[in-house]
Amino acid sequence: APPVTAGSIFLAGVQVFDTMLSSMSWDIAKSAGLVLVAIANCISFSMIAAQVILVKCEAYIVLNAGIILLGFSGSKITRDYAINFIKYAFSVAMKLFTMQLLISLSIDFINEFHKPEINFAEVLVILGASIVILALTMSIPDIISGLINGPLSSSGRYLTSAVTAVSTSTSTVVKGAAGG
């Protein structure tokens, strides 16, 4: 699979958005539903892209700023700083690897829906899949990182926060469009 970039994720979201909007008909209720779902889907893909950017920035900063901490490995007193840096750098690398793996598989699934005409049930499946992908990219890489760094506590808060973020952003966009 090609490397996962924030641009490729956002492009997949825009392509799905375009596919959804091209399926609009003269049925006003269906078209309004399609527009809302398309906006929510685009927002969730934007948030997935933001998550990738966040982890890549974390990796860049950790690897570049951590070189200073490696200088502390020469003394017994400060050796723990260097060891902790190496553990953290490895955990960030595993986080990035896990995220790229998840998104590569997910993008392949989403790309299966690129067809000229999709029905409303498929649109809802795409929206559900994009929210699940967002929750997975928010939780699984952190779980893998936690396995390396130490104790792990996980709950269902990632799925809840993903759904809340997408719904809040969608309602904000709709309110802005209705007000304008």
Side-chain angles (χ1 to χ4, degrees):
V4 175
T5 63
S8 66
I9 295 162
F10 188 72
L11 181 63
V14 168
Q15 288 171 343
V16 170
F17 180 82
D18 187 45
T19 302
M20 287 180 185
L21 291 185
S22 67
S23 298
M24 289 177 56
S25 65
W26 289 101
D27 182 8
I28 294 174
K30 180 183 174 189
S31 295
L34 274 173
V35 168
L36 286 175
V37 172
I39 289 171
N41 189 53
C42 200
I43 289 169
S44 65
F45 272 96
S46 298
M47 293 175 76
I48 294 167
Q51 190 73 15
V52 170
I53 290 170
L54 181 73
V55 172
K56 286 188 177 186
C57 285
E58 180 183 13
Y60 183 78
I61 291 169
V62 164
L63 293 178
N64 286 309
I67 292 172
I68 296 168
L69 293 173
L70 288 177
F72 290 116
S73 64
S75 170
K76 269 187 181 179
I77 299 171
T78 57
R79 184 168 294 149
D80 287 340
Y81 294 129
I83 292 170
N84 289 337
F85 160 71
I86 292 170
K87 281 185 185 176
Y88 186 69
F90 183 63
S91 74
V92 170
M94 290 306 297
K95 183 190 283 191
L96 186 60
F97 171 72
T98 306
M99 180 175 286
Q100 293 210 340
L101 204 78
L102 280 169
I103 293 175
S104 293
L105 295 171
S106 303
I107 294 277
D108 287 343
F109 172 73
I110 293 295
N111 284 335
E112 290 179 13
F113 288 99
H114 290 294
K115 27 184 173 172
E117 191 74 26
I118 56 175
N119 60 31
F120 200 72
E122 289 174 327
V123 167
L124 292 177
V125 167
I126 294 170
L127 177 62
S130 67
I131 291 173
V132 169
I133 294 166
L134 175 61
L136 288 174
T137 57
M138 291 172 70
S139 63
I140 302 295
D142 287 338
I143 291 170
I144 298 299
S145 175
L147 290 174
I148 295 166
N149 282 335
L152 171 69
S153 68
S154 178
S155 64
R157 67 183 164 90
Y158 291 104
L159 183 58
T160 307
S161 64
V163 171
T164 303
V166 171
S167 64
T168 304
S169 299
T170 304
S171 66
T172 303
V173 168
V174 170
K175 286 177 186 175

Coordinates of all heavy atoms in Angstrom, one line a residue, residues 51-52 54-59 62 87-103 136-149 158:
Q51 N -5.2 13.9 12.8 CA -4.6 13.0 13.8 C -3.3 12.5 13.2 O -2.3 12.3 13.9 CB -5.6 11.8 14.0 CG -5.1 10.9 15.1 CD -5.3 11.5 16.5 OE1 -6.0 12.5 16.7 NE2 -4.7 10.9 17.4
V52 N -3.2 12.2 11.9 CA -2.0 11.8 11.3 C -0.9 12.9 11.4 O 0.2 12.7 11.7 CB -2.2 11.4 9.8 CG1 -0.9 11.2 9.0 CG2 -3.1 10.1 9.7
L54 N -0.8 15.2 13.6 CA -0.4 15.3 15.0 C 0.7 14.3 15.4 O 1.7 14.6 16.0 CB -1.6 15.2 15.9 CG -1.4 15.3 17.4 CD1 -1.1 16.7 17.8 CD2 -2.6 14.7 18.1
V55 N 0.5 13.1 14.9 CA 1.4 12.0 15.3 C 2.8 12.2 14.5 O 3.8 12.0 15.1 CB 0.8 10.6 15.0 CG1 1.9 9.5 15.1 CG2 -0.3 10.3 15.9
K56 N 2.7 12.7 13.3 CA 3.9 12.9 12.5 C 4.7 14.1 13.1 O 5.9 14.0 13.2 CB 3.6 13.1 11.0 CG 3.3 11.8 10.3 CD 3.1 12.0 8.9 CE 2.8 10.6 8.2 NZ 2.8 10.7 6.8
C57 N 4.0 15.1 13.6 CA 4.7 16.2 14.2 C 5.3 15.8 15.6 O 6.4 16.2 15.9 CB 3.7 17.4 14.5 SG 3.2 18.3 13.1
E58 N 4.6 14.9 16.3 CA 5.1 14.4 17.5 C 6.4 13.6 17.3 O 7.4 13.8 18.0 CB 4.1 13.5 18.2 CG 4.6 12.9 19.5 CD 3.5 11.9 20.1 OE1 2.6 11.5 19.4 OE2 3.8 11.6 21.3
A59 N 6.4 12.8 16.2 CA 7.6 12.0 15.9 C 8.7 12.9 15.5 O 9.9 12.7 15.9 CB 7.3 11.0 14.7
V62 N 10.0 14.8 18.7 CA 10.7 13.9 19.6 C 12.0 13.4 19.1 O 13.0 13.4 19.8 CB 9.8 12.6 19.9 CG1 10.5 11.5 20.5 CG2 8.6 13.0 20.7
K87 N 12.9 5.0 25.0 CA 11.6 4.3 25.1 C 10.5 5.1 24.4 O 9.6 4.6 23.7 CB 11.2 4.1 26.6 CG 11.9 3.0 27.3 CD 11.3 2.9 28.6 CE 11.8 2.0 29.6 NZ 11.3 2.1 30.9
Y88 N 10.5 6.4 24.7 CA 9.4 7.2 24.2 C 9.5 7.3 22.7 O 8.5 7.3 22.0 CB 9.5 8.6 24.8 CG 8.3 9.5 24.4 CD1 7.0 9.2 24.8 CD2 8.5 10.6 23.6 CE1 6.0 10.0 24.4 CE2 7.5 11.4 23.2 CZ 6.2 11.1 23.6 OH 5.1 11.9 23.2
A89 N 10.7 7.5 22.1 CA 10.9 7.5 20.7 C 10.4 6.2 20.0 O 9.8 6.3 19.0 CB 12.4 7.8 20.3
F90 N 10.7 5.1 20.6 CA 10.2 3.8 20.1 C 8.7 3.7 20.2 O 8.1 3.3 19.2 CB 10.9 2.7 20.9 CG 10.5 1.3 20.3 CD1 10.9 0.9 19.1 CD2 9.8 0.4 21.1 CE1 10.5 -0.3 18.5 CE2 9.4 -0.8 20.6 CZ 9.8 -1.2 19.3
S91 N 8.1 4.3 21.3 CA 6.7 4.2 21.4 C 6.0 5.1 20.3 O 5.0 4.8 19.8 CB 6.2 4.6 22.8 OG 6.3 6.0 23.0
V92 N 6.6 6.3 20.0 CA 6.1 7.2 19.0 C 6.2 6.5 17.6 O 5.3 6.6 16.8 CB 6.8 8.5 19.0 CG1 6.4 9.4 17.8 CG2 6.4 9.3 20.3
A93 N 7.3 5.8 17.4 CA 7.5 5.1 16.1 C 6.4 4.0 16.0 O 5.9 3.8 14.9 CB 8.9 4.5 16.0
M94 N 6.2 3.3 17.0 CA 5.1 2.2 17.0 C 3.7 2.8 16.8 O 2.9 2.3 16.1 CB 5.2 1.4 18.2 CG 6.4 0.5 18.3 SD 6.6 -0.5 16.8 CE 5.2 -1.6 16.9
K95 N 3.5 4.0 17.4 CA 2.2 4.7 17.2 C 2.0 5.1 15.7 O 1.0 4.9 15.2 CB 2.2 5.9 18.1 CG 0.9 6.7 18.0 CD 1.0 8.1 18.7 CE 1.0 8.0 20.2 NZ 0.8 9.3 20.9
L96 N 3.1 5.6 15.1 CA 3.0 6.0 13.7 C 2.8 4.8 12.8 O 2.0 4.8 11.9 CB 4.3 6.8 13.3 CG 4.3 7.4 12.0 CD1 3.2 8.4 11.8 CD2 5.6 8.1 11.7
F97 N 3.5 3.7 13.1 CA 3.4 2.5 12.3 C 2.0 2.0 12.4 O 1.4 1.6 11.4 CB 4.4 1.5 12.8 CG 4.2 0.1 12.2 CD1 4.6 -0.1 10.9 CD2 3.7 -0.9 13.0 CE1 4.4 -1.4 10.4 CE2 3.5 -2.2 12.5 CZ 3.9 -2.4 11.1
T98 N 1.4 1.9 13.6 CA 0.1 1.4 13.8 C -0.9 2.2 13.1 O -1.9 1.7 12.5 CB -0.2 1.3 15.3 OG1 0.8 0.5 16.0 CG2 -1.6 0.7 15.6
M99 N -0.8 3.5 13.2 CA -1.7 4.4 12.5 C -1.7 4.3 11.0 O -2.7 4.2 10.4 CB -1.4 5.9 12.9 CG -2.4 6.9 12.3 SD -2.1 8.5 12.8 CE -2.8 8.4 14.4
Q100 N -0.5 4.1 10.5 CA -0.4 4.0 9.0 C -1.0 2.6 8.6 O -1.7 2.6 7.6 CB 1.1 4.1 8.6 CG 1.6 5.5 8.8 CD 2.7 5.8 7.8 OE1 3.3 5.0 7.2 NE2 2.9 7.1 7.6
L101 N -0.8 1.6 9.4 CA -1.4 0.3 9.1 C -2.9 0.4 9.1 O -3.6 -0.1 8.2 CB -0.9 -0.7 10.1 CG -0.9 -2.1 9.7 CD1 0.3 -2.4 8.8 CD2 -0.8 -3.0 11.0
L102 N -3.5 1.0 10.2 CA -4.9 1.1 10.3 C -5.5 1.9 9.1 O -6.5 1.5 8.5 CB -5.3 1.8 11.6 CG -5.3 1.0 12.9 CD1 -5.4 2.0 14.1 CD2 -6.5 0.1 12.8
I103 N -4.9 3.0 8.8 CA -5.5 3.9 7.8 C -5.3 3.3 6.4 O -6.2 3.5 5.5 CB -4.9 5.3 7.9 CG1 -5.3 5.9 9.2 CG2 -5.3 6.2 6.7 CD1 -4.8 7.3 9.5
L136 N -10.7 4.6 15.8 CA -9.6 3.6 15.8 C -8.3 4.4 15.7 O -7.3 4.0 16.4 CB -9.7 2.6 14.7 CG -10.8 1.6 14.8 CD1 -10.9 0.7 13.6 CD2 -10.5 0.7 16.1
T137 N -8.2 5.4 14.9 CA -6.9 6.1 14.8 C -6.6 7.0 16.0 O -5.5 7.4 16.2 CB -6.9 7.0 13.5 OG1 -8.0 7.9 13.5 CG2 -6.9 6.2 12.2
M138 N -7.7 7.3 16.8 CA -7.4 8.0 18.0 C -7.1 7.1 19.2 O -6.4 7.5 20.1 CB -8.7 8.8 18.4 CG -9.0 9.9 17.5 SD -10.6 10.7 17.8 CE -10.3 11.5 19.3
S139 N -7.5 5.8 19.1 CA -7.3 4.9 20.3 C -6.2 3.9 20.1 O -5.3 3.8 21.0 CB -8.6 4.2 20.6 OG -9.0 3.4 19.6
I140 N -6.2 3.1 19.0 CA -5.3 2.0 18.9 C -3.8 2.4 18.9 O -3.0 1.8 19.6 CB -5.6 1.2 17.6 CG1 -7.0 0.7 17.6 CG2 -4.6 0.1 17.4 CD1 -7.3 -0.3 18.7
P141 N -3.4 3.5 18.2 CA -2.0 3.9 18.3 C -1.6 4.3 19.7 O -0.5 4.0 20.2 CB -1.9 5.1 17.4 CG -3.0 4.9 16.4 CD -4.1 4.3 17.1
D142 N -2.5 4.9 20.5 CA -2.2 5.3 21.9 C -2.1 4.0 22.7 O -1.3 3.9 23.7 CB -3.2 6.2 22.5 CG -3.1 7.6 21.9 OD1 -2.0 8.0 21.4 OD2 -4.1 8.3 22.0
I143 N -2.9 3.0 22.5 CA -2.8 1.7 23.2 C -1.5 1.1 22.9 O -0.8 0.6 23.9 CB -4.0 0.8 22.8 CG1 -5.3 1.4 23.4 CG2 -3.7 -0.6 23.4 CD1 -6.5 0.7 22.8
I144 N -1.0 1.0 21.7 CA 0.3 0.4 21.3 C 1.4 1.2 22.0 O 2.3 0.6 22.5 CB 0.4 0.4 19.8 CG1 -0.6 -0.5 19.2 CG2 1.8 -0.1 19.4 CD1 -0.6 -2.0 19.6
S145 N 1.3 2.5 22.0 CA 2.3 3.4 22.6 C 2.3 3.1 24.1 O 3.4 3.1 24.7 CB 2.0 4.8 22.3 OG 2.9 5.7 23.0
G146 N 1.2 2.9 24.7 CA 1.1 2.7 26.1 C 1.7 1.3 26.5 O 2.2 1.1 27.6
L147 N 1.6 0.4 25.6 CA 2.3 -1.0 25.9 C 3.8 -0.8 26.1 O 4.4 -1.5 26.8 CB 2.0 -1.9 24.7 CG 0.5 -2.4 24.6 CD1 0.4 -3.3 23.4 CD2 0.1 -3.2 25.8
I148 N 4.4 0.1 25.4 CA 5.8 0.3 25.4 C 6.2 1.2 26.6 O 7.1 0.9 27.4 CB 6.3 0.9 24.1 CG1 6.1 -0.1 23.0 CG2 7.8 1.3 24.2 CD1 6.3 0.5 21.6
N149 N 5.4 2.2 26.9 CA 5.7 3.2 27.9 C 5.3 2.7 29.3 O 5.8 3.3 30.3 CB 5.0 4.5 27.7 CG 5.7 5.3 26.6 OD1 6.9 5.1 26.4 ND2 5.0 6.2 25.9
Y158 N -12.9 7.0 23.3 CA -12.5 7.4 21.9 C -13.6 7.4 20.9 O -13.8 8.4 20.1 CB -11.3 6.6 21.4 CG -10.1 6.8 22.2 CD1 -9.6 5.9 23.1 CD2 -9.3 7.9 22.0 CE1 -8.5 6.1 23.8 CE2 -8.2 8.2 22.7 CZ -7.7 7.2 23.6 OH -6.6 7.4 24.3

